[in-house]
């Protein structure tokens, strides 16, 4: 049996997908490291004083120039909405509606100014709020210390204001509540999810805006209007409703200005723009082109109004507003101050010096951030960083020289003014170069990488499909595996050498992806080189085109294509918790319906066949019942506000009633006992609990102990909050001790399953003389078992007489109990161990969902075994596509039925602290615990995937001793899984084929998610629906492929141990 080639081929196929995922991710997901450093007034970044300037009382880095500020965010305020063009006689619905802005800027040019407010992609509201408050370039993944919520942990403007005793009042979009919890002096939040509601948020703000402004109990007032954005989503910008909404905003601004004090700064900003269809999220010109309007009743600007509005990046608002309000610039800000707002009254030289002070502080802050970030991450190019450091050092040196000259006194000369202007330009150049370096690394899609990654995944799917069909033939691993690997190594070496010769940084991901593509090319090249020969072995027919082939593929491939097509709809992705069970139920019903249509199900003239038909129908009903019951454990998404999460997901500690808590606890313990009992009963039925091997002893004694540890942990955890003070220490010790004991027992069992996986019992040779090999028989314990011995004695007498007539000498066969289910027994033990380990990471009442999971898996295995037997056209060593597709759909279904959703807020972060109440010293252990909790169903179904091949052989066993006696009187004793040992080459080929089929089904689902994320990258819901779905699907594929390899490795380990066991039997 070829064991290592099977594992190597599956590992190679999985690595091809991994390279495709990595390549696509590098072009799609915008990532950066989130620093936890925070700025402080004590930081030595304050501007040095120049002649005529002294430190103001309470000054922080720079003197406070603005006592109060009002920030109005009109969501999706595109620049075209704010710009006024009097030359247009027939403006479109969104044009010339904000005429008050034009009136202020034209009549008071020193008090008002309109800017193009340039947003950085992704142009979603949440990411733009992060940009406007942190001054950095938020991406889809901001890698930080807290993943449990969307709350901004990075240093930001609101944190600085609160830290320095300022009062921040907010009203509007409730997204801010999740981003900045406990940061507001006063707040008025309104629901923002319903994009069809144009007025609730805006009307709520207008109700509180003017009284709050007049009250004066605030230093920064933020109001976030949503009506314009919702109108764009509902109607588009070119609609009469947009004209009404913009007119409402215009009147609001007109009234607000009348309420403002002389010392208040007004900023009206759009967080992003919108396309012609009203969408946003991408990087098109209309999406990133927002508006910013600045106004104060005191002069701010020069008298000259620019012909064209200046373009200001959104990140520039943070350092500008921070220094104007007299607080430190947030640590991670890379914005540039808006110099015009720091000019003040006086001559040109004084204005240049004030601007220079702001630029000097700003540049030192950015240089400090780049230095800290380069130490924490390696995604900023080192040559560019050295260049930026040179620019900064030169500007600071010249600043010191000019400052010394200014301090000498005397009227500023034209030459000094020119040098001041040039130095301002140098600081501007440095800050813009720094922002450009960061933007190139963090905020840009890479379409070529995205397309290449998608193509690599598609080619991997094709490779798995073709290789799975060829696995039943004579599969030359040298041509199918070794040569492609050599092609891949050669391709990776050439690509790496090209990078080195071009003196570019070695991109390991590109090199690995290039090697993967080259190995795929090598496989397809050698695939067409020679027609494969039929496999050696009797009765093997190569799979060729037949009339029934497409009929067999129609149902599973149809269900798979429907699931893949649903990935391109945000509504279906949101409702996938109902889509996956529906597809699974439909596939099962259609499979049974096909048997009924062909007349293979209702054979009333054959009572035995009639009984099998009823068994199939009962299994189908049990499957539908499991699907229905598993839907009770559902979690809700934010996009479904009417949905109520299942109360069964809540831990026992959260139940108010002691009676309900006790009853629920008893049900949970009963489910634990049910799992242990079901495993022991099945192993005893198959004869795998007769021996005294280490794994058998573990199942007998350690499994109840493992269940006891879990039950004790649940009991302690459910009452931990009500514990009295003196008992807190013992309770905390129990909260760590019981889970760790369970971890230890589970790991010990897994090690035993790898070290000695056989559960076969062989009595002493002297006692077994004259016995015959029985794959399933237990020790005689009843009259039926004694009757069962008679045909064996008769058969033994026949064999003895035959051997005497032939003159041969045959040794006495050896009795072996549990041999016919030796492969599946080891898998079931490992799966149950994993089930207990994973159950420990979930809330208590999800034990009922785990019980349903194992029951549904058992029903699926039995159902497909009986369907294949009744159909009569299935190869015994070939797992049909419908079984593989159903298995993958069940894994997806139980992802949702264990309380998960493909969004980050739905992750069960509490799993990281099961057994580790005091926290962790590293991130590896909590990441493994949370990952195991999240992908529980993927782990269990992938490890158990080989059961799809083994179970039809296990089902050959008679279900009762009387039936065994009846069958053995008239036919040969069934060999069950020992039939696999008769054809080792077909066995290894069947395992390879099964693994490739499962990878193909998972790969097709992954390909659909990748395609949806790439095609819909400018969709409104890309960062809220499609990108998280891609991430979870990609991680689920990685987990499933690794666990699939482990499951097949366990089967091969059992086969290896079985070969050694047969070798030891030869002397006996």
């Amino acid at each position: 049996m070829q064991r290592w080639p099977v594992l190597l081929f599956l590992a190679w196929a999985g690595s091809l997908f991994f390279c495709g995922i990595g390549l696509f991710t590098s072009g799609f997901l915008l990532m950066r490291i989130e620093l936890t450093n925070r700025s402080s007034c004590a930081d030595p970044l304050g501007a040095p004083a120049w002649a005529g300037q002294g430190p103001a009382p309470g000054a922080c880095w720079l003197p406070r120039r603005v006592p109060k500020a009002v920030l109005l965010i009109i969501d999706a305020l595109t620049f075209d909405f704010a710009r006024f063009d009097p030359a247009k006689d027939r403006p479109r619905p969104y044009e010339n509606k904000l005429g008050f802005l034009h009136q202020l800027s034209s009549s008071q040019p020193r008090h008002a100014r309109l800017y193009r407010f340039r947003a950085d992609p992704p142009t979603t509201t949440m990411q733009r709020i992060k940009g406007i408050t942190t001054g950095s370039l938020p991406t889809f993944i901001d890698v930080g210390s807290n993943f449990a919520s969307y709350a901004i942990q990075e240093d930001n403007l609101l944190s600085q204001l609160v830290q320095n005793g300022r009062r921040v009042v907010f009203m509007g979009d409730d997204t801010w509540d999740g981003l900045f919890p406990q940061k507001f002096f006063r707040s008025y939040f309104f629901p923002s999810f319903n994009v069809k509601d144009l007025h609730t948020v805006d009307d709520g703000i207008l109700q509180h805006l003017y009284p709050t402004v007049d009250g004066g109990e605030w230093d920064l007032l933020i109001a976030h209007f949503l009506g314009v954005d919702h109108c764009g989503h509902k109607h588009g910008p070119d609609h009469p409703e947009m004209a009404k909404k913009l007119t409402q905003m215009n009147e609001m601004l007109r009234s607000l200005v009348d309420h403002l004090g002389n010392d208040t700064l007004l900023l009206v900003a759009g967080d992003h723009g919108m396309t012609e269809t009203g969408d946003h999220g991408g990087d098109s010109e209309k999406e990133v082109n927002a508006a910013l309007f600045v106004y104060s009743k005191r002069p701010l600007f020069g008298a000259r109004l620019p012909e064209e509005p200046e373009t200001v990046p959104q990140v520039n608002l943070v350092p500008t507003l921070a220094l104007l309000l007299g607080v430190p610039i947030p640590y991670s800000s890379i914005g540039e101050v808006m110099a015009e707002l720091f000019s003040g009254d006086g001559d040109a030289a004084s204005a240049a010096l004030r601007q220079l002070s702001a630029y000097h502080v700003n540049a030192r802050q950015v240089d400090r951030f780049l230095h800290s970030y380069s130490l924490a991450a390696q995604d900023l190019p080192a040559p560019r960083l050295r260049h930026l450091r040179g620019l900064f050092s030169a500007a600071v040196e010249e600043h010191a020289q000019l400052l010394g000259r200014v301090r000498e006194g005397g009227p500023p000369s034209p030459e000094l003014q020119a040098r001041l202007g040039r130095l301002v330009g140098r600081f501007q150049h440095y800050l813009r170069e720094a922002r450009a370096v960061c933007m190139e690394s963090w905020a840009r899609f890479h379409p070529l990488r995205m397309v290449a990654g998608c193509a690599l995944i598609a080619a991997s799917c094709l490779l798995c499909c073709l290789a799975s069909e060829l696995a039943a033939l004579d599969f030359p691993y040298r041509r199918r595996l070794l040569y492609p690997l050599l092609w891949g190594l050669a391709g990776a070496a050439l690509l790496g050498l090209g990078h080195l010769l071009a003196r570019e940084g070695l991109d390991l991901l590109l090199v690995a992806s290039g090697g993967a593509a080259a190995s795929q090319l090598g496989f397809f090249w050698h695939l067409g080189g020679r027609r494969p020969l039929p496999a050696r072995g009797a009765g093997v027919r190569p799979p060729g085109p037949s009339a029934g082939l497409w009929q067999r593929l129609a149902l599973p491939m149809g269900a798979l294509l429907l699931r893949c097509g649903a990935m391109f709809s945000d509504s279906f992705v949101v409702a996938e918790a109902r889509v996956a069970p529906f597809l699974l139920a439909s596939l099962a019903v259609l499979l049974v319906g096909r048997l009924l249509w062909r007349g293979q199900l209702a054979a009333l003239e054959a009572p035995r066949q009639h009984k099998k038909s009823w068994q199939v129908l009962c299994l189908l009903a049990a499957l539908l019942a499991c699907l229905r019951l598993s839907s009770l454990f559902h979690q809700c998404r934010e996009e479904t506000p009417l949905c109520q999460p299942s109360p069964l997901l809540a831990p026992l500690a959260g139940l108010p009633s002691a009676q309900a808590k006790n009853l629920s606890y008893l049900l949970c313990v009963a489910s634990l006992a049910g799992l242990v009992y079901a495993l022991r009963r099945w192993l005893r039925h198959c004869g795998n609990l007769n021996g005294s091997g280490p794994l058998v002893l573990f199942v007998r004694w350690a499994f109840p102990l493992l269940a006891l540890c879990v039950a004790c942990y649940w009991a302690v955890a459910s009452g931990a909050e009500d514990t009295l003070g003196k008992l807190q220490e013992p309770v905390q010790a129990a909260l760590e001790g019981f889970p760790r004991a369970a971890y230890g027992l589970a790991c010990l069992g897994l090690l035993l399953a790898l070290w000695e996986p056989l559960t076969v019992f062989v009595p002493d040779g002297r006692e077994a003389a004259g016995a015959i090999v029985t794959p399933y028989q237990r020790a005689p314990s009843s009259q039926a078992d004694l009757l069962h011995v008679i045909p064996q004695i008769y058969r033994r007498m026949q064999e003895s007489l035959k051997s005497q007539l032939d003159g041969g000498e045959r040794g006495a066969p050896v009795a072996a109990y549990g041999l016919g289910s030796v492969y599946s027994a080891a898998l079931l033990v490992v799966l149950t161990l994993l089930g207990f380990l994973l159950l420990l990471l979930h809330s208590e009442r999800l034990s009922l969902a785990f019980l349903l999971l194992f029951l549904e898996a058992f029903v699926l295995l039995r159902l497909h075994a009986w369907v294949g037997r009744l159909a009569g056209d299935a190869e015994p060593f070939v797992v049909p596509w419908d079984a593989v597709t159903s298995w993958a759909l069940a894994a997806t279904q139980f992802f949702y039925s264990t309380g998960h959703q493909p969004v980050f807020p739905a992750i069960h972060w509490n799993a990281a602290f099961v057994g580790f109440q005091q926290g962790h010293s590293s991130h590896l252990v909590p990441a493994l615990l949370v990952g195991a909790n999240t992908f529980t169903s993927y782990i269990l179904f992938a490890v158990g995937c080989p059961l799809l091949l083994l179970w039809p052989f296990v089902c050959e066993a008679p279900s009762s001793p009387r039936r065994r006696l009846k069958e053995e009187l008239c036919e040969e004793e069934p060999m069950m899984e020992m039939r696999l040992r008769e054809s080792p080459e077909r066995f290894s080929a069947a395992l390879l084929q099964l693994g490739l089929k499962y990878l193909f089904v998972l790969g097709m689902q992954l390909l659909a998610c990748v395609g949806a994320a790439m095609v819909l990258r400018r969709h409104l819901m890309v960062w809220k629906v499609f990108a998280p779905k891609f991430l979870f699907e990609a991680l689920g594929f990685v987990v499933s492929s690794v666990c699939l390899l482990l499951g097949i490795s366990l089967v091969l380990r059992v086969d290896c141990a079985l070969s050694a066991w047969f070798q030891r039997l030869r002397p006996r």
Side-chain angles (χ1 to χ4, degrees):
M1 182 177 184
Q2 303 186 61
R3 301 186 183 96
W4 284 110
V6 171
L7 295 178
L8 288 176
F9 197 95
L10 290 175
W12 170 62
S15 66
L16 298 179
F17 283 101
F18 297 166
C19 291
I21 292 172
L23 189 60
F24 179 83
T25 302
S26 67
F28 176 68
L29 291 186
L30 317 172
M31 304 176 65
R32 71 175 178 91
I33 301 296
E34 183 181 279
L35 300 182
T36 58
N37 309 58
R38 296 185 179 275
S39 298
S40 170
C41 287
D43 297 339
L45 298 181
W50 41 274
Q53 181 199 40
C60 183
W61 292 13
L62 278 182
R64 182 178 182 180
R65 294 181 55 82
V66 176
K68 293 177 179 290
V70 176
L71 174 59
L72 297 184
I73 298 178
I74 301 178
D75 208 293
L77 180 63
T78 308
F79 181 77
D80 292 339
F81 295 179
R83 189 172 191 175
F84 190 88
D85 186 0
K88 288 196 173 184
D89 297 331
R90 302 179 62 183
R92 303 176 73 173
Y94 60 84
E95 293 177 334
N96 292 355
K97 296 302 182 292
L98 296 177
F100 183 66
L101 302 183
H102 173 72
Q103 177 185 337
L104 288 177
S105 58
S106 59
S107 62
Q108 306 178 46
R110 297 197 62 192
H111 299 258
R113 190 69 48 93
L114 179 65
Y115 297 92
R116 293 182 183 271
F117 205 34
R118 191 82 177 180
D120 298 300
T123 51
T124 57
T125 296
M126 182 179 295
Q127 305 300 328
R128 291 300 87 230
I129 293 175
K130 290 183 178 181
I132 291 174
T133 55
T134 64
S136 187
L137 300 175
T139 58
F140 178 70
I141 300 180
D142 296 328
V143 184
S145 59
N146 185 359
F147 295 83
S149 70
Y150 288 127
I152 294 179
Q153 305 297 318
E154 200 170 19
D155 195 12
N156 57 81
L157 181 61
L158 272 64
S159 296
Q160 287 297 330
L161 289 167
V162 174
Q163 179 180 321
N164 288 277
R166 310 298 168 78
R167 298 162 299 179
V168 182
V169 175
F170 178 84
M171 52 189 69
D173 185 355
D174 61 356
T175 303
W176 290 72
D177 186 26
L179 295 175
F180 303 100
Q182 310 299 324
K183 286 292 189 297
F184 299 111
F185 177 75
R186 188 180 298 115
S187 57
Y188 307 95
F189 297 112
F190 303 98
S192 60
F193 178 75
N194 187 5
V195 295
K196 296 183 179 181
D197 183 2
L198 308 185
H199 306 294
T200 298
V201 177
D202 293 0
D203 292 346
I205 295 174
L206 294 176
Q207 181 182 355
H208 299 281
L209 179 60
Y210 307 123
T212 303
V213 172
D214 295 337
E217 295 183 355
W218 50 275
D219 296 291
L220 175 64
L221 172 61
I222 304 175
H224 191 157
F225 293 87
L226 286 179
V228 173
D229 179 68
H230 286 187
C231 185
H233 290 312
K234 184 177 181 180
H235 302 292
D238 201 3
H239 192 275
E241 285 295 328
M242 182 62 75
K244 295 179 182 178
K245 183 52 64 176
L246 291 174
T247 301
Q248 182 189 27
M249 294 295 101
N250 187 66
E251 296 305 317
M252 177 271 298
L253 292 171
R254 189 185 303 274
S255 301
L256 178 62
V257 168
D258 294 336
H259 289 266
L260 293 180
N262 293 332
D263 58 352
T264 303
L265 177 69
L266 172 65
L267 300 107
V268 182
D271 57 343
H272 52 74
M274 68 170 62
T275 64
E276 294 179 355
T277 59
D279 295 324
H280 57 89
D283 57 355
S284 67
E285 185 64 25
K286 289 183 176 293
E287 291 170 281
V288 301
N289 200 14
L292 172 66
F293 179 78
V294 181
Y295 171 77
S296 175
K297 292 185 177 181
R298 293 192 301 185
L300 291 174
F301 309 98
R304 186 178 61 88
L305 189 67
E307 295 182 1
E308 278 296 323
E310 181 184 350
T311 298
V312 176
Q314 279 189 354
V315 293
N316 291 10
L317 180 65
V318 172
T320 302
L321 197 54
L323 294 182
L324 287 175
L325 292 172
V327 297
I329 302 174
Y331 194 93
S332 300
S333 171
I334 59 170
E336 170 193 342
V337 292
M338 300 166 63
E340 291 177 313
L341 300 179
F342 294 88
S343 300
D345 298 328
D347 55 14
S350 299
L353 285 170
R354 292 189 183 93
Q355 293 180 12
L356 198 56
S357 297
Y359 272 120
H360 179 259
V361 172
N362 192 187
R364 293 185 65 184
Q365 172 265 325
V366 170
D367 177 72
R368 180 185 65 173
F369 165 71
L370 292 178
H371 176 70
S372 300
Y373 190 86
S374 63
L375 296 177
Q378 307 296 326
D379 52 358
L380 297 179
R384 299 289 297 277
L385 288 177
R386 288 193 294 268
H387 173 66
L388 289 174
R389 186 65 186 176
L391 293 177
F392 173 75
S393 300
V396 169
E397 183 179 354
E398 185 175 352
H399 178 267
Q401 295 175 1
L402 284 179
L403 193 62
R405 184 169 175 180
V406 170
R407 284 171 177 167
E408 294 176 359
S413 62
E415 185 266 340
L416 178 61
Q417 294 185 23
R419 289 187 63 184
L420 288 173
R422 287 195 298 269
L423 182 56
V424 168
R426 296 185 71 169
F427 275 120
Q428 287 179 340
H429 177 63
Y430 164 74
L431 291 169
R432 291 171 186 177
E433 282 285 316
R435 179 177 174 274
V437 170
C438 296
M439 185 171 63
E440 289 174 3
S441 302
W442 299 337
R444 178 180 297 176
F445 287 119
H446 201 303
L448 184 59
R449 288 196 174 203
M450 294 167 64
V451 172
C454 189
L456 198 57
I457 295 174
S460 302
C461 290
L462 179 62
L463 184 148
C464 289
C465 182
L466 294 176
S468 67
E469 294 301 317
L470 294 173
L473 307 177
D474 187 16
F475 200 78
Y477 286 98
R478 177 179 297 181
R479 301 180 67 246
R480 301 284 189 259
L481 178 61
L482 179 59
Y483 291 164
L485 286 177
L486 294 177
W487 278 56
L489 291 175
L494 291 176
L495 194 58
L497 183 61
H499 274 273
L500 294 177
L501 293 178
R503 296 184 178 180
E504 299 178 359
L506 188 63
D507 192 333
L508 294 180
L509 180 59
L510 279 180
V511 172
S513 301
S519 64
Q520 287 178 338
L521 184 61
F523 176 84
F524 293 125
W525 177 271
H526 290 283
L527 184 65
R530 186 178 63 186
R531 185 175 182 179
L533 298 176
R536 294 180 298 272
V540 182
R541 61 177 186 271
S546 63
L549 177 61
W550 296 111
Q551 297 179 5
R552 291 195 301 270
L553 292 179
L555 292 181
M557 291 299 107
L560 182 59
L561 290 177
L562 283 175
R563 169 159 165 72
C564 293
M567 299 295 184
F568 289 82
S569 168
D570 58 331
S571 301
F572 275 97
V573 174
V574 169
E576 191 180 21
R578 299 192 300 272
V579 173
F582 172 77
L583 290 176
L584 178 56
S586 301
L587 182 58
V589 170
L590 290 174
L591 286 174
V592 176
R594 186 173 62 185
L595 292 178
L596 185 62
W597 177 264
R598 295 176 177 177
Q600 297 168 329
L601 190 60
L604 299 179
E605 66 279 0
R608 183 175 172 183
Q609 189 75 9
H610 181 64
K611 186 177 181 180
K612 291 180 179 179
S613 300
W614 275 108
Q615 288 180 350
V616 170
L617 294 177
C618 291
L619 289 172
L620 178 61
L623 176 62
L624 297 179
C626 288
L627 291 173
R628 181 59 181 169
L629 291 175
S630 63
S631 65
L632 299 176
F633 303 87
H634 66 278
Q635 180 63 276
C636 296
R637 293 177 62 115
E638 181 185 357
E639 295 85 354
T640 54
L642 298 180
C643 173
Q644 294 295 327
S646 171
L648 297 175
L649 300 180
L652 292 179
L655 295 180
S657 170
Q659 184 177 1
K661 183 183 296 185
N662 294 334
L663 180 59
S664 299
Y665 178 76
L666 291 177
L667 288 176
C668 296
V669 174
S671 66
L672 284 179
L675 285 175
V676 175
Y677 174 77
L679 175 70
R680 289 164 60 94
R681 178 65 183 268
W682 178 260
L683 294 180
R684 186 178 294 111
H685 169 74
C686 296
N688 295 102
L689 281 185
N690 289 322
S692 58
L695 190 58
V696 174
L697 293 178
F698 184 88
V699 174
R700 285 179 179 174
W701 303 107
F703 262 88
L705 185 60
L706 180 59
L708 180 63
C709 289
V710 176
C712 291
Y713 169 71
W714 287 348
V716 175
S718 62
E721 297 181 357
D722 303 328
T723 305
L724 299 177
K726 295 182 179 180
L727 297 177
Q728 285 184 354
E729 288 189 8
V731 167
Q732 291 298 320
L735 288 176
E736 291 195 353
F738 285 122
R740 293 189 181 186
Y743 292 154
L745 285 173
C747 292
L748 176 62
L750 293 176
L751 291 176
L752 287 177
L754 292 176
W755 173 55
E756 188 60 44
L758 296 185
T759 53
V760 180
F761 172 58
V762 182
D764 185 82
R766 290 168 297 180
E767 298 176 5
I772 98 168
V773 177
T774 57
Y776 55 84
Q777 181 187 356
R778 299 171 293 175
S781 59
S782 63
Q783 184 67 25
D785 284 342
L786 292 175
L787 293 176
H788 179 60
V789 177
I790 296 175
Q792 298 186 37
I793 297 175
Y794 177 73
R795 190 176 304 161
R796 173 60 182 156
M797 293 172 59
Q798 286 183 322
E799 293 174 351
S800 177
L801 290 173
K802 183 178 180 181
S803 62
Q804 292 178 10
L805 291 174
D806 296 340
E809 296 182 359
R810 298 180 58 187
V814 180
Y817 300 94
L819 195 60
S821 56
V822 62
Y823 296 104
S824 57
L827 266 177
L828 290 175
V829 170
V830 169
L831 283 172
T832 309
L833 279 174
L834 290 175
F836 276 111
L837 191 61
L838 297 170
L839 177 56
L840 190 63
L841 303 177
H842 289 74
S843 62
E844 300 90 339
R845 289 188 288 178
L846 279 176
S847 57
L848 302 175
F850 274 71
L851 192 62
L852 284 174
L853 185 151
F854 281 99
L855 178 60
E856 182 175 316
F858 175 78
V859 170
L860 278 175
L861 292 171
R862 298 286 291 188
L863 179 63
H864 285 288
W866 282 110
V867 167
R869 183 177 297 184
L870 290 175
D873 57 352
E875 289 285 342
F877 284 80
V878 176
V879 179
W881 281 103
D882 50 70
V884 179
T885 305
S886 300
W887 201 251
L889 287 173
T892 301
Q893 173 225 334
F894 272 101
F895 171 79
Y896 295 99
S897 296
T898 48
H900 296 97
Q901 285 284 348
V903 289
F904 291 112
I907 294 177
H908 301 175
W909 299 103
N910 291 333
F913 303 100
V914 176
F916 299 91
Q917 298 293 319
Q918 305 303 321
H920 301 270
S921 58
S922 68
H923 294 293
L924 179 60
V925 174
L928 290 176
L929 293 177
V930 173
N933 171 281
T934 304
F935 300 105
T936 288
S937 63
Y938 292 95
I939 293 172
L940 293 175
F941 279 93
V943 172
C945 188
L947 290 174
L948 292 173
L949 173 65
L950 302 174
W951 211 258
F953 296 97
V954 176
C955 291
E956 294 178 356
S959 57
S960 65
R962 291 184 179 276
R963 184 174 171 186
R964 292 176 197 161
L965 174 61
K966 185 183 299 185
E967 290 188 359
E968 290 188 3
L969 286 173
C970 57
E971 59 184 27
E972 288 295 322
E973 182 180 337
M975 296 184 64
M976 298 167 64
E977 291 178 1
M978 285 300 98
R979 291 178 59 193
L980 298 167
R981 291 282 307 174
E982 289 183 338
S983 305
E985 298 302 324
R986 295 180 66 190
F987 186 19
S988 61
L991 285 174
L992 175 62
Q993 186 182 46
L994 173 61
L996 290 173
K997 284 183 176 181
Y998 198 65
L999 286 179
F1000 170 78
V1001 174
L1002 296 178
M1004 286 296 295
Q1005 297 175 166
L1006 173 64
L1007 180 62
C1009 289
V1010 167
M1014 180 177 65
V1015 173
L1016 302 174
R1017 63 184 181 274
R1018 289 186 174 87
H1019 192 277
L1020 167 66
M1021 306 298 286
V1022 62
W1023 302 111
K1024 199 172 186 65
V1025 174
F1026 296 110
K1029 177 59 181 174
F1030 157 68
L1031 268 183
F1032 277 82
E1033 196 71 32
L1035 292 174
F1037 178 88
V1038 172
V1039 171
S1040 297
S1041 56
V1042 172
C1043 292
L1044 173 68
L1045 202 62
L1046 293 177
I1048 293 179
S1049 299
L1050 177 62
V1051 174
L1052 296 176
R1053 173 70 186 95
V1054 173
D1055 187 78
C1056 183
L1058 200 57
S1059 299
W1061 181 79
F1062 277 120
Q1063 291 292 332
R1064 293 195 301 269
L1065 281 183
R1066 285 185 178 180
R1068 299 176 59 178

